[in-house]
Amino acid sequence: MDLVSPPAPPHTAGYSSPTHANPIANTTATSNSSISASSSSPSNSTTPTTPSRYENQKRRDWNTFCQYLRNHRPPLSLPMCSGAHVLEFLRYLDQFGKTKVHNQTCPFFGLPNPPAPCPCPLRQAWGSLDALIGRLRAAYEEHGGRPEANPFGARAVRIYLREVRDFQAKARGVSYEKKRKRPKQKVTVTPSPSDSGPNE
């Protein structure tokens, strides 16, 4: 399933984000950035609440995905979107990734801190993709999509994310398994002979 990349869509220009942050954080047009919660609430004397960081990010992600559908060849409408199109979108985002993922033939495969540069590609980090899909899945239903038809919850998408996680864990030597918290052991301090006072 090869992605037909549109010729430099306008939403690809702002893909500069902090390390390991979601790459589509700065993709919204300037007009969208001026939208505040006051536009959706009735005008009154109370101070409008500012949307949370999560809500802002979710809105930007949704706008980016919709822009991607419009730039697709042929253009896609949201009802036509399937899990396969979501996978195309995720692979398309890889070109804007900032995470070095070593090939299996690379001598640094499996090393968490490679000692030298290598030609291996930059990809989207698994954690960024996983969080992105979670936000888009919620946004799809908020925009009237039926939960049973949600393409972001498709089995193929879940399998893809699991494969990305497992491969990146091996390639980068990073464990994504949650570490169990060890119970804090009580440290008993035994007094030394010198603390018992002078010997008589």
Side-chain angles (χ1 to χ4, degrees):
M1 170 174 39
D2 294 333
L3 174 65
V4 179
S5 298
H11 66 289
T12 62
Y15 277 75
S16 59
S17 59
T19 307
H20 299 301
N22 194 287
I24 58 178
N26 300 318
T27 58
T28 310
T30 308
S31 60
N32 288 335
S33 63
S34 62
I35 298 175
S36 65
S38 60
S39 62
S40 60
S41 60
S43 58
N44 51 31
S45 59
T46 60
T47 304
T49 56
T50 304
S52 67
R53 182 179 178 184
Y54 171 80
E55 291 298 327
N56 285 331
Q57 184 70 62
K58 183 170 60 175
R59 188 187 72 244
R60 288 192 292 264
D61 294 342
W62 182 252
N63 289 341
T64 300
F65 182 73
C66 291
Q67 182 73 31
Y68 172 80
L69 293 182
R70 288 192 294 270
N71 289 334
H72 194 276
R73 295 293 180 269
L76 288 170
S77 64
L78 194 59
M80 295 170 55
C81 184
S82 67
H85 297 117
V86 174
L87 294 182
E88 285 183 358
F89 177 64
L90 295 180
R91 294 188 182 105
Y92 164 78
L93 290 179
D94 265 337
Q95 63 185 304
F96 308 106
K98 298 180 183 298
T99 299
K100 176 76 73 171
V101 179
H102 301 288
N103 295 318
Q104 289 181 320
T105 56
C106 178
F108 303 142
F109 184 85
L111 295 181
N113 298 306
C118 67
C120 293
L122 295 175
R123 298 283 187 239
Q124 293 292 341
W126 164 76
S128 296
L129 294 179
D130 188 55
L132 169 68
I133 288 299
R135 291 189 295 269
L136 289 175
R137 186 173 183 175
Y140 177 86
E141 295 179 15
E142 289 174 5
H143 285 80
R146 292 177 297 133
E148 62 273 14
N150 195 326
F152 302 101
R155 183 171 181 269
V157 175
R158 295 197 303 270
I159 292 174
Y160 176 80
L161 289 175
R162 193 180 319 133
E163 290 174 349
V164 169
R165 181 194 64 186
D166 293 345
F167 182 78
Q168 288 191 7
K170 292 176 183 176
R172 301 175 57 221
V174 177
S175 174
Y176 289 119
E177 299 300 327
K178 291 183 179 179
K179 295 180 180 179
R180 293 181 180 177
K181 291 183 179 180
R182 294 181 179 178
K184 292 183 179 179
Q185 297 178 349
K186 294 182 180 179
V187 179
T188 56
V189 179
T190 55
S192 59
S194 61
D195 295 336
S196 60
N199 294 330
E200 296 181 359

